[in-house]
Amino acid sequence: MTGGEYQNIMLRYTMNGISEIPRVALDTVGCKLNQAETQLLARQFAQAGYGLVSASEKADIYILNTCTVTHVADGKCRRRLKLAHGRNPAALVVAIGCYAERAPKELAQVEGVNLVLGNSEKPHLLQLLEESGSLSRPSSAEGGSATRAGFRTRALVKVHDGCNNFCSYCIVPLVRGREKSTPIDQVVTEVRDRAAESYKEVVLTSTKLGSYNYEGVNLSGLLKHVLTQTAVARLRLSSLQPGEISPALIGLWRNGRLCRHFHLSLQSGNNEVLGRMRRRYTVGDYQQAVALIRDMVPGAAITTDIIVGFPGETDEEFQESYELCKQMEFTRIHVFPYSPRQGTQAARIPERVGDEVKRQRSQKMLALAKESAQNFRRRFLDETMMVLWEKQTGGVWSGLTDNYIRVYTKNDKDLTNQILPVKLAKLFNRDGVWGEITD
């Protein structure tokens, strides 16, 4: 979008007028990196004195941080933008992020969307809106916290962006660009600030976390800096690759502040498919990484991603993926039917798998995911574990253990953002266990 086009949109919007203290709703589709960026935007708007509301409320400005990793994510973004326009047809509706980077003209055609901005403009969004005259910073309002708008009790901190790998199916390098790491001092300061704001858990996020390297300091070095220079109670990592798992890295989990949760993307359990995906590991590499984690970090949760129906995937190749996932006993499996992304190498592979076959494979893998998750949770019944309580819904509190077990309980006290010992009593709901606070 040119500067002139941007100014014209802002002029038309400003003429409509908004409330004295604009109500801003921030919403996110996609990965934890997107969530971290949205939290940062929320913090900027709150500190400037704007009124933050949840994404489901009527707002003067609705901002969606978009995802475009699959066609399902694209559709979810379009639906949310239309819903926001329906809640307040006079609102300024802004689409930012990866979908906006990939297909700005397509998003601009969505009903109600006023402004489309890519990833490079995301960090400067507040400044752009204020300089255009669409927002006028409240002179008397006090700055506040992003948590008051319903954001999670866990804070997410971005430490790295971009990807140099160019897996054949993945659009991320095209919309996020080349890899770049956040300076160590900046990461430490952000984690320290979140701890000072009473966050009990910080999640370090990235498109490719294991590639972190700032002036020769790798991920292990970064973790050492954070652990020694901050007092945050829990530190969780977003995602790693099998080749990034080493005894030196996993040895850091001797520090109990590191959460026993490893998201280790598999994508396929067949070496030929992994080769066509241009993944940089084999099934054997993956098995060795999992074995090392389980040997050094007892009780660790290992979650993963699986793509079903990749071009050319045969029934036998899918079955190998299924059997490997069964063997790995994952805590969670995120299942993605393959979605071609224009501009990627895989989108040019002619041997497509039919939609019905992808649906059947997805259902089979999802059934395994459910069984595997229940088996993992069942292992910890009758144990007492520390739970970070997040929110109350319908009189029932929910929170997370460090190894990613969702726990529910009833309690008359306000448990928000407290870490308390809980005895895990029984499987509960579709995704967790029922617990009794023992403190």
Side-chain angles (χ1 to χ4, degrees), residues 36 39 155-159 187 190-191 194 202-206:
Q39 283 192 2
L156 293 94
V157 172
K158 174 179 174 179
V159 304
V187 175
E190 287 194 42
V191 174
R194 301 296 80 78
V202 169
V203 184
L204 301 185
T205 70
S206 167

Side-chain angles (χ1 to χ4, degrees), residues 29-144:
V29 174
C31 64
K32 282 185 170 59
L33 181 58
N34 261 12
Q35 295 170 26
E37 292 169 337
T38 301
Q39 283 192 2
L40 180 59
L41 284 172
R43 191 166 290 109
Q44 292 172 354
F45 277 93
Q47 290 172 350
Y50 295 102
L52 294 183
V53 299
S54 72
S56 60
E57 294 181 72
K58 182 178 179 180
D60 298 302
I61 299 177
Y62 173 85
I63 301 164
L64 178 64
N65 195 0
T66 62
C67 174
T68 192
V69 70
T70 65
H71 74 281
V72 174
D74 287 350
K76 186 180 294 185
C77 291
R78 292 191 296 268
R79 287 192 295 274
R80 292 199 187 184
L81 291 165
K82 291 176 183 177
L83 285 171
H85 174 66
R87 282 191 293 270
N88 183 10
L92 175 69
V93 177
V94 183
I96 59 175
C98 292
Y99 190 177
E101 185 77 30
R102 182 185 68 82
K105 292 182 179 178
E106 182 177 308
L107 268 181
Q109 298 302 313
V110 175
E111 181 183 6
V113 172
N114 304 106
L115 185 62
V116 180
L117 298 171
N119 280 318
S120 62
E121 295 158 302
K122 191 184 300 182
H124 317 294
L125 178 60
L126 176 58
Q127 179 184 353
L128 288 171
L129 294 175
E130 288 186 335
E131 289 181 350
S132 69
S134 62
L135 281 181
S136 178
R137 185 168 298 203
S139 57
S140 59
E142 295 182 0

